[in-house]
Amino acid sequence: MTLPIVQIRNVHKTFHMGSVKVEALRGVSFEISAGEYISIMGPSGCGKSTLLNLLGCLDRPTVGHYLLGGQDVSGMDDDSLSAIRGSRLGFIFQSYNLIQQLTVLENIEIPLYYQDRPEAECRELASKLAARVGLSHRLGHKPFELSGGQQQRVAIARALVNDPLVILADEPTGNLDSASGVEILEIFDELNAQGKTLILVTHDAAVGKRARRTLRLRDGEIEHDVRH
Amino acid sequence: MSVTNRHIHGIRLPGGLSVARLRRAVRLGIRSLWLHRLRSLLTVLGIVFGVCSVISMLAIGEGASYEAQEQIKSLGSQNIILRSVKPPDSEKVSNQGRQSYVLQYGITYADVGRIRATIPGVTVILPARNIRDYVWNITRRVDCEMIGTVPWYPAMRNHRVVSGRFFTQDEMERQASVCVLGAEMVPRLFPIKSPLGRHVRVAGDYYQVIGVMEARGGAGETEGGAEQKDKSAACRMFIPLETVKLRYGEVLMRRRSGSFEAERVQLHELTVKVASLDEVINVAGAIRAVMERNHKNKDYQIDVPLEMLRRAERTKDIFNIVLGSIAAISLLVGGIGIMNIMLASVTERTREIGIRRALGARRRDIVVQFLVETVLLSGIGGIMGVLLGITIPLIVSHVAGMKTIITLWSPLLAFSISALVGVIFGIYPAVRAANMDPVEALRNE
Ligand SMILES: Nc1ncnc2c1ncn2[C@@H]1O[C@H](COP(=O)(O)OP(=O)(O)O)[C@@H](O)[C@H]1O
Ligand SMILES: [Mg+2]
């Protein structure tokens, strides 16, 4: 088999709040192979967001190693991490996180913008992905003119535009009504069927079930890791 | 994909910033400023007024000092001008003495001899006797200052003959009755026909008009202080010195508060030309010493155009320094205003910063984004200020009739300082934006 694209080795994350130490992650280890669809679940405060931030290279582990596509990113400087986020990762947030003054098309282009891709190429790729999430007719609209489900679809297109190794989603259906939520999850299923690697944080059991593997956290440790 | 486009994408600026990325940052900045156009406009007003005031004040100051300097230069920078002045303490004596008293003062022919004999470096000496009287053309009358002088007057005083000619040495020696009119007189005495060849009358004497001199200093009335300090008329007429001596002698009668007052003045004015510009100050000192020794009461005045020029230049320098400080302060205030707004903008856009960082923006991309906005703000303010600063002097010179000069460097300097202010005051907010933790920034509501 191919090498796992995500390797987390004995990762600890400690936050210092004044004199108080908060151990958000305490020795977490796991691997994710290409094409996996994995959900991270657990009660509030168990360290899900912390783990996702590490996986997303937005933060660095206090102890331990994180290998993304075989490359150790745990000790990288800020610029290199930015470059990795822009080229190898796709982010989907609970509150969509679109930039309000930009159009749908421009929002989708952002990751390419920081990759210095030629403008025409950006435009072409972005409109292709907008079509893929069914928003070709909304390219010039601003985010506030769209429904929550549509906004999240823009965010998905944006997460796909740089053809990332891994797509990270933090409670992607948390702000949506159930119908829109199902739509989004169906897109995820489709993406996974096309071979995309998805990591999804949720506390919704129904959402977690759709993934083919679940990582359950408790107090900063992996409680269990099941495939289904 | 065009070849040129690929080429442009290949160009990297210092700090690993591509031209394309900078171009997009500028476009983004313009949009973001346009989105808050009222706020942007208000923010930029400080810079606008700062730049505008620098340019317009400099233009007005430059214009005023140019006029002053031109007037001084028209006296000749190699010249030293001596004038006879009625000594202040002689007034009382003359009042007591009433009719019979003859007041004697001023520069004498002996002074001319002494200066010529004792001071090296003096090339030409130009004496002049001024007599105030009415000049007539049949029934037309003009109050005029008649200047009895020598043929080289126009050359020495940078005063051109515009039509006809000045009188010659021969005419002076013959004590000919010829005159050269100042341009100011012509429309008043000869409104229709050319005055050349015609005659004017002063008291009982007729003079033939042989030439016309150019008008002095543009506007005849507002002539520089040094040139016509005392009650002299705007109109001037030039007559050979020897002719004046013949006609008037040396004693002048003046009507004064019901009585007559007689004055004996040999020369009213003496212009000394110095061979080289470097010696002017020394020669002026020597002349002062000679005059002081021979005139116990101060019945003369010495003007050195070169000294006046230097003083005017110094005044202008001081003016520019004061102006520079005012400009610096106003630009500083403008810069602080911009920084204030940019700090607010950074806080307001924390979430956007987090999103951009998550999607691959490096710290320096964020710095560039905010810095570009600040520089655009101050640059646009600078351009508006330059436009306004060029317009105001034009309006001033049109409405108030003042001369204004916009030097090329003043808009350039004002604009580059305003752009620099943008960079300096933009750095702190931009760096603050860039140093935000992406995780924290994303959590921001
Ligand atoms: N930036 C931070 N500073 C201090 N403590 C933090 C920080 N982020 C998370 N924590 C703490 O770490 C623990 C795990 O948090 P988090 O990963 O957000 O949990 P979850 O997303 O599963 O609810 C919590 O106790 C939280 O208070
Ligand atoms: Mg969380």
Side-chain angles (χ1 to χ4, degrees):
Chain A
M1 247 216 77
T2 52
L3 227 70
I5 53 171
V6 169
Q7 290 170 277
I8 293 285
R9 292 185 188 155
N10 187 32
V11 160
H12 290 253
K13 181 71 190 178
T14 312
F15 294 106
H16 297 272
M17 298 182 69
S19 56
V20 185
K21 275 205 313 198
V22 181
E23 282 194 87
L25 293 175
R26 301 190 276 193
V28 176
S29 298
F30 60 91
E31 292 185 346
I32 299 172
S33 304
E36 273 198 279
Y37 184 4
I38 179 167
S39 66
I40 299 172
M41 299 191 64
S44 182
C46 67
K48 303 185 295 291
S49 297
T50 305
L51 180 57
L52 200 73
N53 288 340
L54 290 179
L55 287 169
C57 293
L58 289 166
D59 213 345
R60 275 172 285 218
T62 315
V63 177
H65 291 275
Y66 170 24
L67 282 75
L68 180 65
Q71 192 178 13
D72 191 348
V73 298
S74 31
M76 279 187 172
D77 64 11
D78 196 84
D79 277 4
S80 314
L81 289 181
S82 300
I84 292 210
R85 288 196 296 268
S87 60
R88 321 201 81 175
L89 298 170
F91 288 89
I92 298 164
F93 304 93
Q94 179 173 358
S95 47
Y96 330 127
N97 277 345
L98 302 178
I99 294 175
Q100 295 302 316
Q101 64 261 36
L102 300 185
T103 63
V104 165
L105 191 70
E106 288 163 337
N107 265 291
I108 298 173
E109 279 178 353
I110 298 172
L112 300 178
Y113 171 14
Y114 292 112
Q115 310 267 332
D116 288 334
R117 303 266 196 101
E119 253 169 79
E121 193 184 318
C122 296
R123 204 116 291 201
E124 199 185 302
L125 261 171
S127 31
K128 214 165 85 189
L129 280 152
R132 184 163 171 184
V133 295
L135 285 171
S136 320
H137 57 301
R138 291 285 151 90
L139 293 183
H141 286 235
K142 295 284 171 69
F144 60 84
E145 297 167 322
L146 305 178
S147 72
Q150 287 173 321
Q151 289 192 51
Q152 197 60 301
R153 268 147 57 195
V154 176
I156 292 172
R158 185 177 67 184
L160 291 170
V161 79
N162 55 351
D163 191 23
L165 272 181
V166 184
I167 296 165
L168 304 158
D170 193 352
E171 303 271 13
T173 57
N175 283 10
L176 299 174
D177 59 89
S178 52
S180 311
V182 168
E183 256 178 54
I184 297 299
L185 291 173
E186 274 166 4
I187 296 177
F188 281 6
D189 290 345
E190 245 174 72
L191 291 173
N192 182 238
Q194 287 160 11
K196 296 278 174 204
T197 311
L198 295 165
I199 303 175
L200 185 124
V201 164
T202 183
H203 60 252
D204 185 338
V207 175
K209 284 251 169 57
R210 296 184 81 110
R212 287 192 272 138
R213 177 180 167 194
T214 298
L215 211 65
R216 185 168 287 279
L217 288 184
R218 178 177 285 274
D219 293 334
E221 286 177 88
I222 296 180
E223 197 179 31
H224 53 237
D225 180 355
V226 288
R227 286 163 207 273
H228 40 93
Chain B
M1 214 22 47
S2 73
V3 178
T4 49
N5 214 347
R6 269 188 205 290
H7 184 64
I8 287 170
H9 275 271
I11 298 171
R12 296 211 149 252
L13 301 174
L17 195 73
S18 72
V19 171
R21 213 185 278 202
L22 188 64
R23 210 167 48 196
R24 287 212 208 184
V26 170
R27 221 180 299 150
L28 197 72
I30 292 172
R31 252 171 81 171
S32 157
L33 295 177
W34 184 247
L35 199 70
H36 307 284
R37 26 191 185 278
L38 181 64
R39 182 163 88 178
S40 305
L41 184 73
L42 293 177
T43 307
V44 110
L45 279 183
I47 297 281
V48 173
F49 292 140
V51 168
C52 162
S53 63
V54 176
I55 295 172
S56 48
M57 284 166 79
L58 267 176
I60 292 166
E62 194 76 28
S65 86
Y66 174 82
E67 285 207 319
Q69 292 191 19
E70 279 307 293
Q71 271 164 9
I72 295 166
K73 273 183 201 151
S74 77
L75 299 175
S77 18
Q78 268 162 275
N79 292 348
I80 296 165
I81 299 164
L82 290 83
R83 268 179 252 269
S84 294
V85 176
K86 189 185 285 185
D89 51 344
S90 68
E91 294 280 337
K92 301 169 212 140
V93 184
S94 75
N95 280 350
Q96 286 162 5
R98 283 271 140 168
Q99 291 166 317
S100 59
Y101 189 80
V102 176
L103 179 62
Q104 184 170 353
Y105 69 88
I107 304 156
T108 61
Y109 293 105
D111 291 327
V112 178
R114 271 193 289 269
I115 289 170
R116 185 170 280 147
T118 58
I119 302 173
V122 173
T123 51
V124 197
I125 293 186
L126 178 87
R129 260 175 80 68
N130 302 358
I131 290 146
R132 182 97 175 251
D133 207 339
Y134 290 114
V135 177
W136 296 79
N137 172 28
I138 314 189
T139 56
R140 294 176 191 278
R141 186 185 79 167
V142 165
D143 185 12
C144 177
E145 177 110 60
M146 288 188 289
I147 299 167
T149 186
V150 288
W152 52 90
Y153 181 93
M156 248 182 98
R157 298 295 294 266
N158 296 327
H159 200 172
R160 285 188 308 121
V161 179
V162 287
S163 69
R165 58 177 180 83
F166 210 73
F167 50 80
T168 60
Q169 183 70 31
D170 179 53
E171 279 165 331
M172 185 167 85
E173 277 162 14
R174 284 192 289 109
Q175 301 177 325
S177 292
V178 291
C179 71
V180 178
L181 303 181
E184 302 86 357
M185 301 175 70
V186 176
R188 289 154 78 177
L189 280 183
F190 299 95
I192 302 159
K193 283 190 179 166
S194 161
L196 294 182
R198 317 256 307 246
H199 287 82
V200 293
R201 181 174 65 81
V202 182
D205 307 311
Y206 284 89
Y207 300 87
Q208 187 180 24
V209 179
I210 56 167
V212 176
M213 302 292 281
E214 69 178 342
R216 302 240 58 177
E221 290 81 358
T222 59
E223 221 160 65
E227 179 68 4
Q228 293 195 336
K229 205 162 270 171
D230 31 45
K231 70 279 174 204
S232 64
C235 291
R236 304 167 120 206
M237 183 171 104
F238 301 86
I239 298 170
L241 181 61
E242 296 302 322
T243 311
V244 171
K245 278 192 208 164
L246 172 75
R247 293 277 154 79
Y248 293 90
E250 270 159 16
V251 181
L252 293 178
M253 297 296 279
R254 271 193 183 150
R255 193 197 289 275
R256 192 164 193 246
S257 56
S259 67
F260 283 99
E261 184 189 274
E263 289 180 358
R264 185 193 293 273
V265 179
Q266 291 186 357
L267 288 170
H268 288 93
E269 208 174 280
L270 191 65
T271 307
V272 175
K273 184 162 189 159
V274 181
S276 100
L277 211 54
D278 306 330
E279 287 176 53
V280 171
I281 304 295
N282 291 339
V283 171
I287 290 176
R288 278 199 184 100
V290 167
M291 292 299 284
E292 248 162 61
R293 219 175 301 130
N294 295 290
H295 294 254
K296 289 296 164 238
N297 44 4
K298 201 150 166 39
D299 55 357
Y300 62 92
Q301 174 196 327
I302 300 177
D303 289 329
V304 185
L306 189 68
E307 281 178 359
M308 296 195 288
L309 200 63
R310 296 268 155 83
R311 252 196 316 272
E313 279 164 1
R314 231 176 357 255
T315 310
K316 195 183 121 191
D317 287 346
I318 292 168
F319 181 76
N320 283 348
I321 289 169
V322 171
L323 203 71
S325 330
I326 294 171
I329 291 168
S330 66
L331 285 172
L332 190 76
V333 170
I336 290 169
I338 288 186
M339 180 151 100
N340 194 16
I341 289 297
M342 287 315 289
L343 283 173
S345 170
V346 166
T347 308
E348 202 173 84
R349 286 155 72 185
T350 301
R351 186 71 170 251
E352 179 188 333
I353 294 164
I355 297 168
R356 289 185 182 278
R357 293 280 278 132
L359 300 181
R362 297 166 303 175
R363 285 213 170 101
R364 75 183 76 131
D365 291 316
I366 303 296
V367 167
V368 166
Q369 186 184 339
F370 282 91
L371 207 53
V372 158
E373 271 188 36
T374 329
V375 173
L376 277 174
L377 265 181
S378 55
I380 291 166
I383 289 171
M384 285 163 72
V386 166
L387 293 179
L388 207 62
I390 289 173
T391 316
I392 287 177
L394 291 181
I395 293 171
V396 165
S397 58
H398 192 74
V399 174
M402 274 172 75
K403 186 174 183 66
T404 56
I405 297 170
I406 298 165
T407 50
L408 182 67
W409 61 267
S410 82
L412 284 179
L413 183 79
F415 178 76
S416 17
I417 289 177
S418 70
L420 195 69
V421 161
V423 175
I424 289 169
F425 287 91
I427 283 175
Y428 176 65
V431 166
R432 207 159 117 160
N435 282 341
M436 281 182 183
D437 176 31
V439 177
E440 295 289 335
L442 279 169
R443 206 180 285 146
N444 185 277
E445 285 310 314

